[in-house]
Amino acid sequence: GTSFSENSPGLLSIEVQEPSNTHSLSFDGVDDYVDISSLVGISLTEFTYSGWFKTSGPNGMEQPLINTQNGTLVISPDQATLYAAAYSQRNGVSPRYRVDTDSSVPVNEWHHFAFTVGSGTYKLYVDGQLADDSEIEEPHNSIYADAEIGSHGRSNGANSAFFNGLLDNISIWNFQLDANQILDIKDIELLGTENGLIAFWDFDEGSGATVNEFTGNGYNSSIVGAVYNSDVPFIGSTTTSDLSWSLQIQGSHSASRELNERDNYLGVA
């Protein structure tokens, strides 16, 4: 935020403070996840999943960012692609509809993802840019009745896939956001009160085993193994990742509060 104060006659200080995003969650790629099973049973035919990820590299398995009964986002084992898939039903019979990036996933870099589904269209965005909207229909035989961040959370077998890296600001919406809306949510910190927002976890608690969900819908969730980390993406319209400036304007002024022409200066630190 920005604050203004007058320290002494003729001196106006303006301070631009760091963003309020203070923590992400770190997953070890072995057995860490966030249990969001309170979402089980919510069926969405239109939705958007979005958030930030920073992978630490391959761990010999798929790396799910989020997995629910409605859809999933996963980094392939060789990190050659990030793919997203939507399910009409996860009943062991119904197909899924998959979209993929056509380039490898960079390691140790923050990237924004968004997967949107609606009216028979499936779109995957990375860093606000459309990566794929030509879905592939695939047979899919798994039965799934779970919901987790950072893990497959398989309900019909061993839980054998875990994310290796950092995740932040995960959100679920009940409609298909368009390209402009994707850019908007990439560059702002959500409040939790936005229209159509079902669930939002910002991971800024910094300690404890529970992550708060900010829409008021009651989806507070449990951390299993993952730990807080101060490495966070910069959320804004610039590439500066650590913003903290101090601005001072020095000048003599009259009773009308207008700065005079003499003895004035501007300082930025």
Side-chain angles (χ1 to χ4, degrees), residues 137-151:
E137 181 177 335
E138 299 176 318
H140 196 71
N141 298 320
S142 72
I143 299 172
Y144 188 73
D146 211 338
E148 294 183 0
I149 293 171
S151 169

Side-chain angles (χ1 to χ4, degrees), residues 153-173:
R154 292 190 175 116
S155 58
N156 63 339
N159 193 343
S160 59
F162 296 89
F163 179 72
N164 181 32
L166 304 175
L167 295 173
D168 202 12
N169 288 358
I170 305 298
S171 64
I172 298 176
W173 306 71

Side-chain angles (χ1 to χ4, degrees), residues 125-245:
Y125 298 82
V126 177
D127 296 329
Q129 302 302 310
L130 182 64
D132 189 17
D133 62 354
S134 299
E135 74 278 1
I136 300 171
E137 181 177 335
E138 299 176 318
H140 196 71
N141 298 320
S142 72
I143 299 172
Y144 188 73
D146 211 338
E148 294 183 0
I149 293 171
S151 169
H152 266 322
R154 292 190 175 116
S155 58
N156 63 339
N159 193 343
S160 59
F162 296 89
F163 179 72
N164 181 32
L166 304 175
L167 295 173
D168 202 12
N169 288 358
I170 305 298
S171 64
I172 298 176
W173 306 71
N174 65 6
F175 69 103
Q176 184 179 40
L177 273 67
D178 64 28
N180 289 330
Q181 290 167 326
I182 296 299
L183 289 172
D184 287 342
I185 65 170
K186 181 179 78 72
D187 290 335
I188 64 171
E189 295 185 31
L190 298 175
L191 299 175
T193 57
E194 290 80 2
N195 290 335
L197 185 61
I198 293 177
F200 172 55
W201 303 270
D202 67 7
F203 302 147
D204 280 340
E205 289 78 9
S207 63
T210 300
V211 289
N212 296 319
E213 191 279 308
F214 286 95
T215 65
N217 290 329
Y219 300 129
N220 292 348
S221 302
S222 299
I223 299 172
V224 180
V227 296
Y228 289 99
N229 194 298
S230 60
D231 184 351
V232 297
F234 176 73
I235 299 174
S237 57
T238 76
T239 58
T240 304
S241 60
D242 188 9
L243 182 62
S244 182
W245 292 4

Side-chain angles (χ1 to χ4, degrees), residues 2-266:
T2 304
S3 60
F4 301 86
S5 64
E6 186 173 4
N7 297 329
S8 62
L11 180 61
L12 176 66
S13 293
I14 305 173
E15 183 177 359
V16 181
Q17 301 171 345
E18 292 185 22
S20 60
N21 186 24
T22 59
H23 291 87
S24 61
L25 268 185
S26 176
F27 299 78
D28 64 5
V30 178
D31 56 7
D32 293 353
Y33 63 95
V34 175
D35 181 352
I36 57 171
S37 57
S38 55
L39 289 168
V40 170
I42 296 177
S43 179
L44 301 172
T45 57
E46 296 191 5
F47 62 86
T48 297
Y49 291 172
S50 71
W52 291 86
F53 73 96
K54 181 179 182 180
T55 176
S56 299
N59 60 353
M61 63 183 75
E62 289 189 329
Q63 295 189 40
L65 309 184
I66 184 172
N67 193 24
T68 75
Q69 291 172 295
N70 299 297
T72 188
L73 287 105
V74 180
I75 298 173
S76 63
D78 58 1
Q79 299 212 292
T81 186
L82 168 68
Y83 77 82
Y87 304 85
S88 55
Q89 295 184 67
R90 299 186 78 164
N91 55 8
V93 179
S94 300
R96 73 176 185 179
Y97 302 89
R98 194 190 83 229
V99 285
D100 310 74
T101 62
D102 58 4
S103 59
S104 60
V105 180
V107 175
N108 295 321
E109 296 179 5
W110 279 109
H111 293 280
H112 185 266
F113 70 85
F115 176 42
T116 74
V117 175
S119 301
T121 61
Y122 309 85
K123 298 182 180 183
L124 176 61
Y125 298 82
V126 177
D127 296 329
Q129 302 302 310
L130 182 64
D132 189 17
D133 62 354
S134 299
E135 74 278 1
I136 300 171
E137 181 177 335
E138 299 176 318
H140 196 71
N141 298 320
S142 72
I143 299 172
Y144 188 73
D146 211 338
E148 294 183 0
I149 293 171
S151 169
H152 266 322
R154 292 190 175 116
S155 58
N156 63 339
N159 193 343
S160 59
F162 296 89
F163 179 72
N164 181 32
L166 304 175
L167 295 173
D168 202 12
N169 288 358
I170 305 298
S171 64
I172 298 176
W173 306 71
N174 65 6
F175 69 103
Q176 184 179 40
L177 273 67
D178 64 28
N180 289 330
Q181 290 167 326
I182 296 299
L183 289 172
D184 287 342
I185 65 170
K186 181 179 78 72
D187 290 335
I188 64 171
E189 295 185 31
L190 298 175
L191 299 175
T193 57
E194 290 80 2
N195 290 335
L197 185 61
I198 293 177
F200 172 55
W201 303 270
D202 67 7
F203 302 147
D204 280 340
E205 289 78 9
S207 63
T210 300
V211 289
N212 296 319
E213 191 279 308
F214 286 95
T215 65
N217 290 329
Y219 300 129
N220 292 348
S221 302
S222 299
I223 299 172
V224 180
V227 296
Y228 289 99
N229 194 298
S230 60
D231 184 351
V232 297
F234 176 73
I235 299 174
S237 57
T238 76
T239 58
T240 304
S241 60
D242 188 9
L243 182 62
S244 182
W245 292 4
S246 178
L247 176 67
Q248 288 188 335
I249 302 174
Q250 170 70 51
S252 57
H253 53 75
S254 64
S256 65
R257 314 302 289 177
E258 294 178 356
L259 292 175
N260 294 330
E261 294 179 356
R262 296 177 298 173
D263 302 324
N264 299 330
Y265 70 83
L266 172 67

